[in-house]
Amino acid sequence: MWFEIFKFEIQYRSKRPETYLFFLVILLFSLVAFDFIFEGQDLGQIGENSPYTIAKTMTIVSGFFMLIASLVMGMPVLRDFDHQMASIIFVNPISKKDYLLGRFAGSIAVLIVIYSALMWGMMLGELMPWRQPEKMLSFNPLSYLKPFVTLVMPTLFVGGALFFVSGTLSKKMIVVYTQGLVFFMLTLISILLDNQTIAALLEPFAFSAVGEVTKH
């Protein structure tokens, strides 16, 4: 039964214009993300499309657009209560486990597809006319895929799960937004800390961790 709910969530999201709008916003920003994040920095021998710069850029941009994750993951169950569909759903032979698993799995799948625009946008960004070929390495799609799978997707899963649970339990979108603010505050605190190991553990989007493990 959960798979039927999963498919319904995918179909519903595929018909919503905001799904494509979110994808487009991340895609367009990703085209210039490197220039936005590393502007004025001297990278020395590090290529502008090196695994380090790609990983750093992806973690920062994924955190910057975490509001999109809250909108996608906080709404599925709230939507049923807002439309007064909850009572109709629960009088049918659907277990809570199947209902919640289907909603969550469908929403996280859509969220990953939306955030994949980060990867595609950065790849296209290599072709932009203002990029200097002498500062670029040869194109390697694995340099984009690996940080997306190992850094961005785990962040989306953990953050998305928190947004989903808070929206389900509280049935209030303001609680979901507040969690996004907490994520931001943790990031701000980690920047101010002198102990970079603690900062890397505290900061939820992993860009401090990437800097810590690659600094030598």
Side-chain angles (χ1 to χ4, degrees):
M1 179 60 73
W2 76 267
F3 189 68
E4 296 301 319
I5 299 174
F6 168 80
K7 290 193 298 182
F8 172 82
E9 190 68 26
I10 296 291
Q11 293 169 356
Y12 174 83
R13 294 287 186 176
S14 66
K15 297 176 183 178
R16 301 293 299 177
E18 61 266 23
T19 301
Y20 303 97
L21 177 62
F22 293 155
F23 184 92
L24 182 62
V25 168
I26 295 178
L27 180 71
L28 293 177
F29 185 83
S30 299
L31 292 174
V32 298
F34 170 83
D35 306 276
F36 178 78
I37 293 168
F38 290 97
E39 182 181 6
Q41 296 187 36
D42 182 13
L43 295 175
Q45 298 297 316
I46 300 176
E48 291 185 357
N49 61 339
S50 68
Y52 167 75
T53 55
I54 291 171
K56 196 81 169 180
T57 302
M58 280 192 175
T59 54
I60 293 174
V61 175
S62 63
F64 186 74
F65 286 106
M66 191 52 64
L67 178 61
I68 289 178
S70 69
L71 291 172
V72 173
M73 298 303 300
M75 282 303 296
V77 177
L78 282 175
R79 189 171 66 237
D80 292 332
F81 281 93
D82 287 343
H83 295 166
Q84 299 181 346
M85 292 292 294
S87 57
I88 298 176
I89 291 172
F90 291 123
V91 296
N92 287 285
I94 302 173
S95 69
K96 285 186 178 181
K97 181 184 73 173
D98 287 341
Y99 170 73
L100 294 174
L101 180 60
R103 288 289 196 216
F104 176 78
S107 298
I108 200 69
V110 170
L111 186 64
I112 290 172
V113 171
I114 290 173
Y115 265 75
S116 70
L118 171 59
M119 185 170 53
W120 301 120
M122 291 183 65
M123 288 183 187
L124 291 174
E126 289 197 21
L127 304 176
M128 294 297 102
W130 58 80
R131 304 300 290 272
Q132 303 177 46
E134 64 273 14
K135 294 184 179 181
M136 307 285 284
L137 303 177
S138 58
F139 175 74
N140 184 357
L142 288 179
S143 296
Y144 294 90
L145 182 61
K146 285 182 178 179
F148 184 79
V149 172
T150 60
L151 297 173
V152 177
M153 287 179 60
T155 300
L156 292 179
F157 183 84
V158 174
L162 291 173
F163 292 139
F164 184 84
V165 169
S166 63
T168 300
L169 295 179
S170 68
K171 302 178 182 62
K172 295 179 180 179
M173 201 62 195
I174 187 64
V175 176
V176 179
Y177 291 144
T178 302
Q179 277 193 314
L181 180 61
V182 171
F183 273 42
F184 176 77
M185 292 301 297
L186 286 174
T187 302
L188 184 61
I189 292 171
S190 69
I191 293 173
L192 299 175
L193 288 176
D194 293 329
N195 190 318
Q196 291 304 303
T197 300
I198 295 178
L201 293 171
L202 184 64
E203 182 265 309
F205 303 117
F207 58 81
S208 294
V210 169
E212 178 66 11
V213 300
T214 60
K215 66 181 180 180
H216 298 304

